[in-house]
Every structure is written in C-alpha cells, then in structure tokens.
Amino acid sequence: MEFKEDLDSMDDRRSDVADFIDLKSLDQVTDLTSQIHNLPCCIRHDGECQVSDYFKPKKTGVVLEGLEVEEGSFRGRRLRGATVPVPDGYRGLVLERRKDMGKGKGVEASDENSSWEATAKFDNITYWNHDSFPSQNDALMRFLHWFPVADALHKPVTVEDLGCISNSLDQKL
Amino acid sequence: MGSESLPPWASQPCMMGIDEAGRGPVLGPMVYGCLYCPLSYQKTLASLKFADSKTLKEEKREELFESLKEDKSIGWAVDVIDPRELSAKMLKKDKINLNQISHDSAMGLVSRVLKMGFLLSEVYVDTVGDAEKYRCKLSEVFPGIRFVVAKKADSLYPVVSGASIVAKVTRDRALRNWVLHESVANTHRNFGSGYPGDPETKSWLDDHKHPIFGFPTLVRFSWGTCSSYFKDAVEVIWEADKEEEDGSNNKSGKRQLKLSSVGFTGQKRKSEEVESSAKGRSKFFQSRKLELVTDFH
C-alpha cells in the first residue's frame, strides 16, 4: 500500500511539490513499543546510542490521576513519567528521510520535496517530566484531547449516528 | 540500620553526636552518622579513644566501629544519601543546596532516635554553614533538646568523634561495595577517595564519561568538577536552566553547575527551537503544544 498525501496544498508558496510518506513495509518495520521516550530536555545529538545501558527507568507502584508513575534519571536530574498508549485508530511512526531522493542536487535541499519512510512503529510513548509527577494537565496528556475533537469535527456522520441522536432526543422528551 | 532492641538506659537522659562523611567527594553517597549513649557514660566514652575519624587509619576506624557496635551502652544510626538523590535535589527546578540536604539528614537522625524511644537531652553537631543559625533551626524543631553546634566538633567532643567513625566507615564500605546501576562494559572500581583533586578519582571520571549520559549515576552531576568532563559531551538543554539564564534565580551554590552552559557553541537558543509553541494558533492548540506541520525537515 502506498500512502501519498499532498501536504503542500496547505502551503501556497509550493503548489507543485509534494512530500511523500512511504508506509509500504509497516509489517516488517521494527516495533519500538515501550522504547519511545519523550524527555523534558533537548539533547543536541542525532544518532544511535546504547540507551538501555544507562537509562533504566522503574515503575514506582504509585498511581496518580490514573497514570502509573515511573521514575528515572538523566544527567543527574530526576525524571518522573508515565507510559501512554497511542490512541485507537492511530499509529506511532518513526520517519526517516529517504536517501535515494533528491538526486542530482548534491546537498539535501530542505526546501525541496522529500520522501519519507517509516523505519519503526510504536503503540505507546513514555513521557517524562523533570521532577514533577505526571498529571492529566501535562502537555502530552492534553494533546490527546485533540483526537476526539478531530473525530467530532471531521468524522463523516453515519446513519447510525443520526439514529442515536434522535433516540436520545426522544428519551429526553 | 543501627542498633535495635531498646536498652534499659533509653529512658535516662542521653547525649548524641552527629557527623558526616563524604560531603566533598564528587562521587558516591554522603553519609550522616550518629552515636548516642546515656549522659552517665560520658567519661567512659572519652576513654575509648575515638579521635576524629580523618586522623585515624582505615583499619583503626574499622576496629573502633566494630568495638562500638559491641558496646551495650552505645547506640548508633546512619543515613546514607544516594548520589542520585544528591544530584536530583541539587538539580531540581527549585534547587535544594547541600547544606539544606545535610540539615535535613541530621534532623532525620534525631527524630529517628527519638521515635525509637531514647530520651535525648543533648545533641552535639559538627556545623554545616553558620553554626548559630544551624543551632537555632535545630532548637526550633526539637525544643526539648540542648544543641551544641560547633566547627570541628568531631575533634572537640568524643561523642561526635564516635559519630564520625560511624559515618566514615559506612561511607567507605558503601563505596567499596557499590554496584553500578549501568550495564556498561570496561568499568572499574578504582574510585580513589572520591575527592575532585584525587588523581585516581580524576582518571576514574575520565574512564567513565559518556557523551550522552555524562556519567554513571554514582557521580554527583551537580558538582562543578563535572563541567570540565562535559566539554566535549553532547549539549543538553533543560527548561529549569533556561529560567535561570533569564535572570531571577541565580542564587545557586558554587558547586552547582548549569549544565546548559556545558558545550555551548555560541548563540543562545530560544525555547521555540526546543519545543513547538503553536504560536499564533488558538489557545486550545497552544496549551497542547500542537502545531500544524505542512512539511518535515
């Protein structure tokens, strides 16, 4: 299955180019579930690293606001976090720019159209706060609110939905 | 840890000495130790030749520790503060300095022994920071106890010398038996004394630095000593440091280090670069850090 989306239609400066995201081989791609961490800092490094040798988070057994609190540390700072599933109907992907594109251009021109490839997938993400306990007010938890909102705004209304609404209206009356 | 079942002298007025070991080292735990006995035992205690632990050889300290453990008229307790705890507290958003940590630990020991049921009437403490302020703080928390807070209390009062042996021996043993939390090959245990100036400690730090993670968690990341080792490490930017750079909170202790300044390559970065701010969008998106992305880079 090839997934191609014309993302550039939203940007009128670049009307005739398109970014590609290739989801062809999602079944063979590495599953990084439970290995994706969102840290409360910016690490100016892009590349591989033996993370699990050093980063050994633990479950604390404490549950706060429905979140199982985990604890870890990075560069001396205490991290507290929680693991959150990717919402139903969505999928977490790690994308990498495809190397064979942009031929003849030499430099990877960031303003040109580019092709992306999913190199890994994940079904959950562990996010970390510096010191503070995870809470439903954290940006990552609140960002999940977008999904039901997006559904309400964009999901096509089915006949069943209309049936449900009229039923509940009948009950109220 | 410490002595357990309550001896008959617990209800007599007791004295206690409190001292620390491993406050200065850049690695390993900091240990607070206390020793307590009935006031009536004071003279015997003075004859036991507990000198300041730093002036004794390691074997002598071990020997004295073993003999005081056997002594039925002496009780002792320790508080071992993990280096991870020290780093975490000193690098918190609201930083807790080492003096505060030390005071809390000493007070923890006093309340632990009181709770066990000992009647403490006098407590001798080696000072951390201003002695008089420290004494007032202790007296406020424990109004029933007479506190003597002094510089070099470990060489002035035998009960504090005893506490310093308890603390020092515990710290040395803890470091000797330390199990690294990291599963990294080629580690060794030649920590040296742990003091930043010790050549052995220096080479241990050199051998165990990591470009991303910095060091194993045995190391106190909040120590200024770490900065020179991070010069060629990957830069890490924290929100807590950004606030500090923006002014206001600049009261951090000398030993505390701003990790953000480590490996900085010139221009300052604004927060927008670090995370999406969803600038110019509805508040719903701003507070959720949701940004509309039309292409990836």
Side-chain angles (χ1 to χ4, degrees):
Chain A
M1 183 187 79
E2 178 117 295
F3 179 78
K4 177 185 167 186
E5 200 178 359
D6 192 0
L7 294 155
D8 292 300
S9 57
M10 302 172 205
D11 187 344
D12 50 26
R13 283 169 300 171
R14 298 152 69 240
S15 51
D16 57 343
V17 287
D19 284 5
F20 293 86
I21 301 174
D22 182 2
L23 302 177
K24 224 184 296 179
S25 47
L26 268 192
D27 290 335
Q28 285 116 44
V29 126
T30 330
D31 191 348
L32 289 180
T33 295
S34 299
Q35 291 178 62
I36 302 285
H37 297 277
N38 182 14
L39 297 182
C41 59
C42 175
I43 304 169
R44 299 218 161 258
H45 173 76
D46 199 3
E48 284 188 14
C49 181
Q50 285 301 326
V51 174
S52 56
D53 285 352
Y54 280 85
F55 190 62
K56 298 172 184 291
K58 277 188 188 129
K59 291 221 189 315
T60 60
V62 177
V63 178
L64 285 176
E65 299 181 15
L67 298 166
E68 269 191 68
V69 181
E70 296 169 49
E71 209 173 89
S73 74
F74 180 63
R75 291 245 181 148
R77 322 243 166 168
R78 179 179 285 137
L79 303 179
R80 292 189 168 114
T83 302
V84 203
V86 172
D88 268 349
Y90 290 84
R91 200 158 217 187
L93 294 176
V94 177
L95 299 181
E96 239 168 61
R97 191 188 289 266
R98 219 186 229 170
K99 293 203 179 69
D100 54 53
M101 285 298 289
K103 39 185 167 286
K105 295 216 169 63
V107 195
E108 266 194 23
S110 57
D111 275 350
E112 290 299 320
N113 61 319
S114 50
S115 170
W116 296 81
E117 195 174 14
T119 55
K121 59 186 174 186
F122 53 92
D123 295 329
N124 63 17
I125 180 163
T126 307
Y127 80 95
W128 298 95
N129 292 335
H130 177 196
D131 280 328
S132 38
F133 285 98
S135 118
Q136 296 291 344
N137 286 324
D138 289 328
L140 192 122
M141 294 310 295
R142 300 185 71 190
F143 127 84
L144 299 170
H145 299 163
W146 168 245
F147 296 103
V149 174
D151 274 352
L153 288 173
H154 303 300
K155 209 177 176 183
V157 179
T158 63
V159 181
E160 288 79 25
D161 290 336
L162 289 172
C164 287
I165 292 166
S166 61
N167 275 343
S168 64
L169 280 177
D170 286 347
Q171 279 168 13
K172 272 184 194 162
L173 294 169
Chain B
M1 238 189 266
S3 36
E4 267 140 46
S5 64
L6 215 55
W9 52 266
S11 52
Q12 290 176 39
C14 293
M15 66 192 299
M16 179 195 245
I18 300 178
D19 197 19
E20 131 291 316
R23 188 177 147 88
V26 62
L27 52 81
M30 175 167 85
V31 175
Y32 259 80
C34 71
L35 184 140
Y36 49 96
C37 63
L39 286 179
S40 55
Y41 197 64
Q42 197 168 357
K43 272 188 187 154
T44 326
L45 193 74
S47 70
L48 293 178
K49 305 212 166 65
F50 293 154
D52 167 13
S53 70
K54 288 174 200 100
T55 66
L56 297 169
K57 282 202 171 128
E58 187 172 349
E59 302 83 59
K60 186 69 190 162
R61 278 198 303 264
E62 290 274 349
E63 191 189 308
L64 285 170
F65 184 50
E66 290 308 321
S67 69
L68 72 84
K69 273 161 72 177
E70 293 300 310
D71 196 320
K72 295 265 185 304
S73 300
I74 292 178
W76 61 278
V78 287
D79 181 24
V80 180
I81 308 167
D82 193 287
R84 279 177 299 181
E85 194 67 23
L86 293 171
S87 305
K89 284 191 166 150
M90 291 174 75
L91 294 171
K92 264 169 94 87
K93 282 184 194 162
D94 289 321
K95 294 178 169 52
I96 303 178
N97 68 34
L98 196 61
N99 282 4
Q100 180 70 52
I101 297 171
S102 304
H103 293 176
D104 290 347
S105 177
M107 291 192 283
L109 286 173
V110 174
S111 28
R112 198 197 301 174
V113 174
L114 283 176
K115 258 185 216 144
M116 277 156 65
F118 289 90
L119 179 64
L120 291 179
S121 65
E122 292 172 16
V123 175
Y124 297 78
V125 192
D126 195 28
T127 195
V128 165
D130 184 87
E132 184 51 22
K133 276 187 198 155
Y134 190 15
R135 194 192 62 78
C136 290
K137 186 175 176 180
L138 290 165
S139 306
E140 225 166 86
V141 182
F142 305 101
I145 299 174
R146 187 174 81 92
F147 283 95
V148 177
V149 182
K151 261 186 201 165
K152 294 185 179 156
D154 49 351
S155 53
L156 293 174
Y157 307 102
V159 75
V160 184
S161 310
S164 90
I165 289 168
V166 171
K168 179 76 176 139
V169 171
T170 308
R171 146 102 189 162
D172 288 348
R173 289 183 183 175
L175 196 56
R176 213 182 300 136
N177 303 320
W178 195 268
V179 180
L180 288 179
H181 298 279
E182 292 70 22
S183 35
V184 203
N186 300 321
T187 59
H188 60 81
R189 314 181 50 83
N190 308 322
F191 308 122
S193 63
Y195 281 95
D198 184 336
E200 215 179 344
T201 301
K202 279 183 183 167
S203 63
W204 189 89
L205 290 170
D206 259 323
D207 296 345
H208 293 82
K209 64 184 177 191
H210 186 276
I212 309 291
F213 291 94
F215 284 113
T217 52
L218 172 68
V219 174
R220 305 175 184 174
F221 285 74
S222 44
W223 255 240
T225 324
C226 294
S227 64
S228 55
Y229 294 89
F230 285 158
K231 268 185 195 123
D232 36 36
V234 167
E235 183 190 356
V236 174
I237 304 162
W238 298 82
E239 219 168 289
D241 290 340
K242 261 181 266 143
E243 283 155 18
E244 210 166 280
E245 269 161 37
D246 294 346
S248 62
N249 189 14
N250 247 341
K251 55 185 189 287
S252 54
K254 263 189 219 156
R255 283 204 173 113
Q256 284 172 225
L257 144 88
K258 281 190 277 177
L259 281 173
S260 69
S261 60
V262 170
F264 239 77
T265 48
Q267 77 273 41
K268 293 216 168 183
R269 275 112 180 172
K270 290 273 154 59
S271 56
E272 289 106 287
E273 264 191 52
V274 178
E275 54 187 22
S276 65
S277 61
K279 241 189 187 166
R281 303 202 70 203
S282 150
K283 272 200 177 128
F284 178 89
F285 297 109
Q286 276 186 33
S287 64
R288 286 162 183 82
K289 294 182 175 159
L290 280 169
E291 214 171 346
L292 188 64
V293 175
T294 54
D295 55 340
F296 303 107
H297 291 293

